Structure formats: structure tokens, C-alpha cells
Amino acid sequence: MEDTLKTFKEYLKRRKQFDQAQTMLAWDMQTAAPKDSVESKIESIGFFSTESFRMSTAKEYGALLEELSKPEQFQKLDEGMAITVERERKKYKRFQRVPEAFYTEFVTEKARSEHAWEEAKEKDDFSIYEPHLDKIISMTKEFVHYIEPDQEVYEVLLDMYEEGMDSHTIDTIFTELKEGLKPLIEKITSKPQPDLSLLDGRYDIQAQKKVQDVLLDYIGFNFDRGTTAESVHPFTITLCHGDVRVTNSYDEEAPISSMFSAIHEGGHAIFEQNVNEKYKDTAVEEIELMGLHESQSRFYENMLGRNKNFWIPVYDKVAEILPQLKNVPLDVFMQAINVVKPSLIRVDADEVTYCMHIILRYEMEKAIFIDHVPTKELPKLWNKKMEELLGVVPQSDAEGIMQDMHWSDGSFGYFPSYLLGSVYDGMLLEQVEEELGSVDQILADGRIKEITHWLNEKIHQYGSLYTSKEVIERVCHKEISARPLLSYFTKKYD
Ligand code: ZN
């Protein structure tokens, strides 16, 4: 047993080094690398991921997993290692069924497609992206047929990003939201929009970067265990134990956008940074529960960040860095960050209409994987759904179907997790209030880190030990429901 476990741990460590090299290259490609190096970087990414894949499917690895899974061995493993063996065994069985040549092609095509998406979006030309998207969709279907030949493709995809979640449950939650939100959005948008011209102007990018650091520090991001950079689309990435990085994108005329991206990505990073040390080098550290992950980023972004009291202790400091804000009273700033208005771009959407953007993507994914709608018809379908759900129609595909990067790298099934995250947040907010008292008061007092600490204790420290459903039931003692989120919206905006 001792020997098998030792060999297993060493094996994992070696594989992790390939993964780390691959992540480092991906990070570099998206933040710093010059355009002309892309093709050779993609090749290197392909190399490292193939090596990692080989290790995950090697016969000797399967034998180690088999050995450690024997009841007399398995029961001696600590919690973190037991989870690791279970998950690795599941992956091993799945990957065994995927031909290596297909896998390498899939990984490189993802990188190529991501790159084509960038170009197509920039030139607003869907025809550049269409063949890649089409290939990614068919390869995703093929991939799922290999790993789970007896299951529905879309159910497997949903489960990949939010273990234990299925389309039946999501249908129920999203339908309740859709029905509750439609009249609320109509009611809010029938009122006159506030005058926000005080915020007009150009905001220095370097200053916006400084504001990002202030906000990250304020909510509890640990700069000894992470860093920041700029990219086309904000994201968070864990490079290795003790190194969680966030990116942001900047627009001189939209400082609020970079502030909220900073808070959002900061929420993801705080989760990753605070997994209990005892789970180091186990699967518990790898948090692939995207609904739970989004619940953390969106809790900071919306439940806390869009609350006026969040800004009371920090607004003057932000205005020191962005002097234009000295002429903008906090109340006007509050109106600006809480405008509810149907719009085209998901990442710029307010917290209420955002839900509709996700429901649209969920319905699109069902159209792709259940109804098999041809790729060339997707832009039109997108626009039709925009009109139905939000009453606005994109004039171009760049602000329509091509706005997000997710599908370009094959992340189908990911989008629903954003909204599931918000659904969990509605429940978490009620629970925080019950246990810690008024969130308004805590924020106004500048005690936001008490909330971060609560999240560390209740959620972050366990990493991916429990599924999202288990976490919510353990923390909130209730079953998942959309009602708390709907009542949060109604209370705030009605
Ligand atoms: Zn996120």
C-alpha cells in the first residue's frame, strides 16, 4: 500500500508538471505573446497536453488506480486522496475510450478555433469563425460519444461543468426565472432612465489598473498567492499551488466595466486561493464545479459589489485614483452600476437582464446538441432569441453570437453555470444575513472581510470536496430554488 500510494503520488506530480507547462503557455498566449508566435505556441500546448493525456491513459496508471481502489487499500486513504483516486479512475475509464490522435487534434483545433474567433470577432465576419465552430461542435459530439457512449451528449456536457446537474433541473429553475423576470424587467424599464452624463469622459487605463488592485485587496485577494495581467476577455487561472492569476480588459470610456470584472474575477480567485492546505496536491484543489465557482465570483460582483454599502468605505480611495469620479456623487455612481436595461452584450449586462442572456445561451446549446441546428443558421437563431427574451436585436454578429469566447474552445455546457451561480447566491445571501446579521451594515462598516472569512469557512476551504448541490444544502439547509434570487431582485428593483 505505502509503495503503491507513493508511486501514485509521484506519478500525479509528474503529470502536473506537464499540465503546468501547458497552462503557462496558454496564459502567455492570452496575455503577452506576440501574434506571430501563436502557431508555434499552439504546437507546444498540443505537445504538453498529449503527454499529460498519455500519462492519464497509460496502462501502468490504470493498474495503480485499480490497486488503490481495492476496498482494503481504499479505506486507508485520507479524504483528499480517496476523492483523487475516485475521480482519476472515472477519467481514466473515459479517456481510455478516446483515440490519442483524435484527442491531440481536438486540443489543437480548440486553440486554432479560439484564435479564429478572435480574428472573426475583430473583423465582424462570422464566415471566418463558422468552419471552426462547426468543427468544434462535431468534435465535441464525437468526444462525448467516446467518453460516455450511452449518455445524451448535452447531459454529459452539463455534468462536466456542474457535477450532478441535469437539463431537467435547469429547465425548472430557468423557467421559473424567465417567468418571474419578464414582467419585472418590463416594469423597471418602463421607468425613466437616470441621467448618467456626469460619468462621461476618458479614464486612464493605468489608473484603472490601480483601481483593480485596490478592489482586489479590499475584497480579500491575496497578492502573495496571485497576480494580474491584461487580456481580451477577463479570466482567472490557477497556475499551480499558491499562484492564482486574474486578468482584466480595459476601455477608456468604461471604467465601471473593469471594476466589476476585477471584483468578479477576484471572487473566483479568492475561492481558489483558500482551499485548505490539507488538500494540496489532491483533486480537491481542482475546482471544476463551475456553478459553485460562479456563485463565488458573482456573489462579490452582484450581491456585494452592486450594494451601495460596498462602496462607502472605498469610494473616496477609488476617486483619488480616478479623479473624474470626484465630481460624481456616490448616489449617481450607484445608479450607474444598477441600471437595468436590456442590451446586447452579456458581460456588460446588469444583474437582472443578465439572467436572460444565460437563458438564451442555454437554449442555443440545446438547439445545437439536442435539435442539431446547422452551424450556419445559428447567428439568425441567436438574433431571434435576443428579440424574444430581451427585445433587442444585434446589428452584427460581433455583438451577437460571436461576443463570447466559450464556444470557440469547446466550453459547451458552461454558460448555465453562471446563472446557477446567481441562484445559489440568492440562497447564500439569505444565509449570510441569518448568521452574520445585516449585510448592509457589515459592508458600511468596512467589515467586508468578515463575509470573505465566512465564505472561506463555509465553502472555499473544501474546494471541490462536495458537489454544488451538496454545498448549498450543507450551508443553507435547503434545496436549490430560484425563489430567493427572484425575491432579491424584486426587493431591490420593484
Ligand atoms: Zn466567472
Side-chain angles (χ1 to χ4, degrees):
M1 159 85 178
E2 284 304 299
D3 280 353
T4 317
L5 187 60
K6 201 173 151 227
T7 315
F8 178 67
K9 283 182 177 171
E10 278 165 7
Y11 197 94
L12 283 183
K13 209 166 196 172
R14 221 167 347 121
R15 193 187 62 185
K16 211 168 200 169
Q17 277 148 7
F18 285 114
D19 292 339
Q20 212 180 109
Q22 187 193 336
T23 316
M24 189 73 223
L25 281 161
W27 162 264
D28 181 68
M29 202 169 113
Q30 292 183 58
T31 57
K35 190 170 140 281
D36 288 358
S37 73
V38 166
E39 195 54 38
S40 82
K41 291 236 159 50
I42 289 174
E43 265 175 38
S44 304
I45 288 174
F47 168 79
F48 286 118
S49 74
T50 304
E51 287 305 313
S52 170
F53 179 73
R54 270 190 194 141
M55 289 189 73
S56 306
T57 50
K59 289 269 180 308
E60 56 167 315
Y61 189 52
L64 282 173
L65 288 166
E66 233 17 80
E67 188 60 28
L68 290 170
S69 299
K70 286 180 183 161
E72 67 273 22
Q73 301 263 33
F74 191 77
Q75 56 185 304
K76 287 186 210 148
L77 299 173
D78 64 34
E79 201 177 29
M81 264 305 136
I83 290 262
T84 309
V85 168
E86 259 177 8
R87 286 192 195 151
E88 284 299 312
R89 196 157 168 251
K90 184 177 170 187
K91 276 188 200 159
Y92 178 80
K93 282 186 178 159
R94 283 182 158 187
F95 280 150
Q96 274 295 300
R97 306 183 195 118
V98 183
E100 191 185 298
F102 172 83
Y103 187 78
T104 308
E105 175 61 14
F106 193 27
V107 172
T108 39
E109 180 51 36
K110 279 181 188 178
R112 238 178 253 130
S113 160
E114 209 181 296
H115 189 57
W117 163 76
E118 259 180 48
E119 192 193 335
K121 187 181 172 185
E122 205 181 295
K123 294 184 178 158
D124 188 16
D125 184 353
F126 185 70
S127 73
I128 299 172
Y129 180 39
E130 192 194 312
H132 291 278
L133 179 61
D134 194 57
K135 196 165 176 197
I136 287 291
I137 290 170
S138 61
M139 289 187 95
T140 300
K141 289 178 182 169
E142 199 181 341
F143 178 70
V144 175
H145 284 311
Y146 284 129
I147 61 168
E148 291 296 346
D150 304 324
Q151 291 184 35
E152 295 292 337
V153 172
Y154 195 50
E155 298 302 328
V156 176
L157 292 170
L158 288 173
D159 186 79
M160 263 182 202
Y161 295 104
E162 188 70 332
E163 201 189 325
M165 196 47 80
D166 57 75
S167 66
H168 178 73
T169 313
I170 297 178
D171 282 341
T172 311
I173 296 172
F174 284 11
T175 305
E176 189 177 357
L177 277 172
K178 202 163 138 177
E179 280 163 9
L181 287 176
K182 258 212 142 169
L184 182 66
I185 292 172
E186 273 162 25
K187 199 167 168 190
I188 304 170
T189 49
S190 67
K191 291 175 199 158
Q193 291 290 341
D195 176 12
L196 302 171
S197 53
L198 271 178
L199 275 147
D200 291 349
R202 294 190 165 277
Y203 295 78
D204 181 60
I205 302 286
Q206 290 311 319
Q208 289 191 45
K209 287 182 183 172
K210 274 188 204 146
V211 168
Q212 150 162 304
D213 287 355
V214 166
L215 291 173
L216 285 174
D217 181 60
Y218 176 57
I219 65 174
F221 179 89
N222 183 348
F223 281 91
D224 290 334
R225 301 173 72 89
T227 187
T228 64
E230 192 174 343
S231 66
V232 179
H233 192 90
F235 63 90
T236 304
I237 197 168
T238 294
L239 230 66
C240 62
H241 187 82
D243 188 351
V244 184
R245 303 182 177 192
V246 296
T247 71
N248 208 338
S249 61
Y250 303 93
D251 178 344
E252 276 197 331
E253 289 174 19
I256 287 174
S257 169
S258 71
M259 288 182 208
F260 278 84
S261 288
I263 299 170
H264 177 97
E265 299 306 328
H268 280 304
I270 290 170
F271 188 2
E272 296 269 331
Q273 286 180 331
N274 287 285
V275 179
N276 196 311
E277 281 290 322
K278 73 178 177 193
Y279 300 123
K280 184 171 181 278
D281 293 331
T282 73
V284 178
E285 265 195 326
E286 291 154 28
I287 311 165
E288 286 162 2
L289 303 160
M290 294 329 290
L292 189 62
H293 232 306
E294 288 303 329
S295 80
Q296 297 312 290
S297 54
R298 299 177 65 72
F299 194 81
Y300 282 98
E301 179 191 351
N302 295 328
M303 299 337 215
L304 304 181
R306 293 186 204 279
N307 184 322
K308 180 179 176 180
N309 301 286
F310 174 97
W311 293 94
I312 290 174
V314 81
Y315 191 67
D316 286 346
K317 203 169 173 183
V318 171
E320 278 306 315
I321 306 168
L322 295 171
Q324 294 97 318
L325 288 181
K326 286 185 179 167
N327 304 321
V328 182
L330 182 56
D331 279 331
V332 176
F333 183 77
M334 283 321 295
Q335 285 177 332
I337 64 177
N338 285 303
V339 172
V340 174
K341 193 180 173 204
S343 63
L344 298 170
I345 308 295
R346 174 185 64 90
V347 292
D348 296 333
D350 59 84
E351 60 180 332
V352 185
T353 61
Y354 187 92
C355 304
M356 294 301 206
H357 286 268
I358 298 305
I359 292 170
L360 178 146
R361 284 152 179 81
Y362 174 64
E363 291 178 359
M364 289 293 293
E365 289 184 341
K366 289 209 297 185
I368 294 169
F369 290 98
I370 299 173
D371 305 330
H372 305 286
V373 172
T375 308
K376 66 171 183 327
E377 285 172 25
L378 295 176
K380 227 169 79 190
L381 183 61
W382 179 285
N383 295 351
K384 195 176 141 239
K385 286 190 178 292
M386 276 302 281
E387 173 137 48
E388 269 170 32
L389 290 167
L390 285 159
V392 287
V393 184
Q395 294 306 304
S396 79
D397 294 329
E399 50 180 31
I401 192 168
M402 290 198 294
Q403 61 182 274
D404 302 302
M405 78 183 290
H406 302 58
W407 293 343
S408 76
D409 74 357
S411 302
F412 298 101
Y414 189 117
F415 280 121
S417 60
Y418 292 111
L419 188 46
L420 290 171
S422 286
V423 168
Y424 306 157
D425 283 343
M427 301 181 71
L428 289 172
L429 187 67
E430 287 186 352
Q431 197 60 31
V432 175
E433 296 243 303
E434 207 176 304
E435 292 184 28
L436 298 181
S438 158
V439 166
D440 287 351
Q441 196 58 53
I442 296 170
L443 292 175
D445 293 347
R447 294 183 284 127
I448 186 170
K449 291 208 174 83
E450 284 181 20
I451 297 173
T452 296
H453 186 71
W454 187 88
L455 293 167
N456 290 162
E457 285 291 303
K458 299 278 177 178
I459 297 173
H460 304 161
Q461 65 155 323
Y462 299 109
S464 62
L465 190 63
Y466 306 109
T467 66
S468 307
K469 195 166 172 276
E470 288 167 343
V471 171
I472 295 305
E473 286 173 7
R474 278 170 57 96
V475 176
C476 304
H477 319 292
K478 287 180 193 107
E479 272 186 35
I480 295 169
S481 156
R483 245 156 286 139
L485 180 65
L486 275 171
S487 72
Y488 158 79
F489 284 144
T490 312
K491 215 165 94 191
K492 184 167 172 182
Y493 294 100
D494 201 2

